[in-house]
Amino acid sequence: MTRTSEAGETRTSHAAGAAAPNADTHKSVSQPVYPHTMRLQRFLARAGVASRRGSEDLMTAGRVTVNGQVATELGTKVDVDRDHIEVDGMPVKLNQGAVYLMLYKPTGYLTTMSDPQERPCVADLVPRDRFPGLFPVGRLDRDTTGLLLFTTDGDLSQDLLHPSKHVYKTYQALVDGHLTDRDLEPLRRGIELDDGLCQPAICRVITAREAEAVAPQGVKPGTTAVEVIIREGRKNQVKRMLSKIHHPVIRLHRCNFAGLELKDVAKGSWRELTDREVQILKAGGIPPKQAGAKRGAAPATNTASRTRHHGSHGSAPKRNTYRERYTG
Ligand code: URA
């Protein structure tokens, strides 16, 4: 521990011999880079103990120790590798592995980690301070809601987005006009868009109950709710596919990505993926329940209505307090 007012930090990797990750190009190795030394309040915020301001309050309240000594001075710097930090007697450590989380993206947020025009963006909704190097896997339109993955694992992200390994993505769309399952046939065959022929989509008309996420007030006369499963990821693809059959999208929601369902997370909140979910991603994803099933077969459940709220900066469902998280 050193006491200094210096703002500078030395960057280093925790993984000996690992290549330096590059969050900008998303070509990182799995281990995130943390500054070697940093201000104690910043360390506490990154460890998820409290916000930067809240961490300062913990320090001034004498609740934080570094190597057994109470640290109340806000300029205190710590060595991430060597110093032993405790809050209320509980050890605090930075998460040193790659991070994977899902965000339930609400409307009105751009899928970017920074916007020069300072419009609301998804970076505002995820714990970027705590998990530096976090970035979204793919994108959703500003007005699209639903499952958006984030990770610090550039290799996995590249795999999931690579055209050769396109994963299944399930969307629910509320569209203008009345349409039947038969009207979706062009999408099933593969519809021609401006930028070329789409791969065949799996699609069907869904009930108002299934469509709760896109039609919370019910499916009004003159509109229809449909489910569309695609593997490509072209810009505005689902909207363009449905416009092409003359049913423009009113609202769009993604409920499944690579076989992961949007569940246990409230709108505007995030949670870390479970080990099982990370395994699914690392295995290249799995088809959603509908894929490969006969038309009319039991659909995947829309889980949005079963969400639990974890607050706007929610945490993992099973280990959601500081004490539980760091003491198992
Ligand atoms: N297709 C779209 O049209 N928009 C999205 O946000 C995602 C898929």
Side-chain angles (χ1 to χ4, degrees), residues 1-4 37-38 40 59 64-73 75-80 82-85:
M1 160 171 69
T2 54
R3 288 194 175 86
T4 167
T37 58
M38 65 173 85
L40 182 52
M59 288 170 66
V64 184
T65 57
V66 178
N67 303 327
Q69 284 182 279
V70 175
T72 50
E73 210 174 294
T76 301
K77 288 185 91 181
V78 288
D79 182 319
V80 171
R82 295 194 185 90
D83 287 332
H84 179 80
I85 294 121

Side-chain angles (χ1 to χ4, degrees), residues 151-318:
T151 186
T152 54
D153 185 340
D155 292 339
L156 182 75
S157 169
Q158 276 201 324
D159 273 0
L160 292 171
L161 298 176
H162 196 274
S164 68
K165 300 185 190 159
H166 268 159
V167 295
Y168 288 96
K169 289 154 278 234
T170 304
Y171 295 90
Q172 294 182 340
L174 182 70
V175 300
D176 190 30
H178 175 74
L179 91 171
T180 64
D181 252 324
R182 224 174 129 182
D183 298 323
L184 292 167
E185 210 46 53
L187 270 52
R188 293 193 190 100
R189 283 200 299 269
I191 198 161
E192 183 82 37
L193 297 179
D194 293 349
D195 51 358
L197 193 65
C198 292
Q199 288 172 11
I202 300 165
C203 40
R204 66 190 179 102
V205 171
I206 54 175
T207 64
R209 217 169 121 242
E210 290 173 298
E212 204 199 325
V214 275
Q217 320 287 320
V219 179
K220 301 266 156 58
T223 66
T224 310
V226 296
E227 178 182 80
V228 179
I229 303 175
I230 56 171
R231 299 184 77 172
E232 299 158 292
R234 302 192 215 166
K235 200 163 192 283
N236 304 134
Q237 185 167 348
V238 175
K239 289 178 187 162
R240 290 191 291 139
M241 287 164 75
L242 288 160
S243 284
K244 193 75 197 266
I245 58 166
H246 313 293
H247 291 283
V249 169
I250 300 167
R251 267 199 298 276
L252 187 64
H253 174 82
R254 182 158 74 190
C255 55
N256 193 306
F257 180 92
L260 303 194
E261 286 185 58
L262 185 64
K263 65 177 181 187
D264 293 329
V265 59
K267 196 183 280 188
S269 296
W270 59 271
R271 69 165 171 87
E272 283 184 62
L273 299 191
T274 63
D275 291 347
R276 169 84 189 125
E277 287 171 327
V278 175
Q279 274 170 18
I280 288 173
L281 294 182
K282 288 188 174 170
I286 52 170
K289 283 175 200 136
Q290 296 93 326
K294 284 205 189 96
R295 233 174 81 196
T301 323
N302 168 20
T303 54
S305 57
R306 292 197 264 121
T307 60
R308 262 195 341 226
H309 191 75
H310 297 297
S312 61
H313 280 199
S315 43
K318 292 196 189 83

